[in-house]
Amino acid sequence: MKLMKAAIEEILSNIESATEFIDDETVNEFMKVLTESKNVFVMGAGRSGLVAKAFAMRLVHLGISAYVVGETISPAIYDDDCILAISGSGETNTIVSAVDIAKNRGSKALALTSYPESSLGKLADCVMKVKGRTKIDIDDEDYIKRQIDGNYVSVTPLGTAFELTSLIFLDGLIAELMQKMGKTEDDLKYRHTVLE
């Protein structure tokens, strides 16, 4: 249980320190692009993809037309749309490739990444840095040896800190969007699924 408690403390510490990277101007630009786009496309690979889906659901609850890239019902992206890509490393091939396609079609691109200077960061119109240990921070060669020796550089596996901090950041962004759009929790409940 000691390791589990240490992991939880490390995750919470990363989330708490995330606010130091939140720039009001960037948040305002994110909100402007999200609310002015005809459709918002969201994407991430693996667990970042789950974070993207959770955010898309909240956008729909707000009345914003949102799609998850890769789902069969996603339409084509156009110049009056935007794409929000979530990638800790900013180098995930499928993410970078999709954003490149979206940009070539004239859409705006928003990025959440730990590496603003990454390929994704360079493609995006607006980048929010989300601090977190990502898979590229791991020295694979020494990882198992460190674990056996009890020398834990991090007790959170792979991109956990980035993914959970991204989820918290995007939920905070929903709160800002609610206020900006004059929406209440009742408005969100109205659009919540009833087919469950």
Side-chain angles (χ1 to χ4, degrees):
M1 296 295 186
K2 184 178 179 184
L3 189 58
M4 182 179 87
K5 288 178 182 177
I8 291 169
E9 287 171 11
E10 187 174 326
I11 291 165
L12 291 174
S13 174
N14 191 76
I15 290 168
E16 287 173 358
S17 69
T19 56
E20 69 188 68
F21 296 101
I22 295 175
D23 172 65
D24 290 349
E25 192 175 312
T26 304
V27 171
N28 286 332
E29 181 64 19
F30 259 61
M31 289 193 299
K32 181 176 189 270
V33 171
L34 291 169
T35 56
E36 292 180 0
S37 295
K38 181 177 179 185
N39 297 300
V40 176
F41 292 79
V42 298
M43 74 176 309
R47 287 167 45 108
S48 292
L50 297 175
V51 172
K53 286 181 178 186
F55 185 60
M57 182 176 76
R58 288 291 184 239
L59 290 176
V60 169
H61 291 162
L62 281 172
I64 294 173
S65 176
Y67 296 95
V68 176
V69 174
E71 297 293 330
T72 56
I73 61 164
S74 292
I77 192 167
Y78 295 101
D79 59 2
D80 52 357
D81 297 326
C82 78
I83 187 167
L84 168 64
I86 304 170
S87 171
S89 67
E91 298 297 342
T92 307
N93 288 336
T94 54
I95 306 298
V96 173
S97 176
V99 171
D100 190 41
I101 291 167
K103 291 288 294 178
N104 285 331
R105 292 183 59 87
S107 75
K108 293 267 189 198
L110 305 173
L112 256 68
T113 183
S114 292
Y115 298 94
E117 296 303 316
S118 64
S119 299
L120 174 61
K122 290 175 184 170
L123 278 172
D125 296 292
C126 188
V127 180
M128 177 59 68
K129 180 177 180 178
V130 176
K131 185 181 156 224
R133 183 171 168 265
T134 69
K135 61 184 176 244
I136 67 168
D137 295 323
I138 297 168
D139 179 4
D140 290 332
E141 202 172 288
D142 294 328
Y143 178 75
I144 293 173
K145 183 183 182 311
R146 282 196 314 268
Q147 296 293 306
I148 292 169
D149 292 343
N151 179 12
Y152 304 105
V153 171
S154 174
V155 291
T156 59
L158 302 174
T160 295
F162 170 78
E163 295 145 4
L164 292 176
T165 304
S166 293
L167 179 66
I168 300 295
F169 168 78
L170 291 170
D171 276 345
L173 186 61
I174 290 295
E176 284 288 335
L177 283 166
M178 284 175 70
Q179 182 179 35
K180 178 184 169 122
M181 298 170 72
K183 302 286 184 180
T184 66
E185 209 169 325
D186 284 340
D187 295 319
L188 272 70
K189 274 167 110 177
Y190 177 76
R191 290 188 181 87
H192 195 281
T193 185
V194 294
L195 301 175
E196 52 186 15

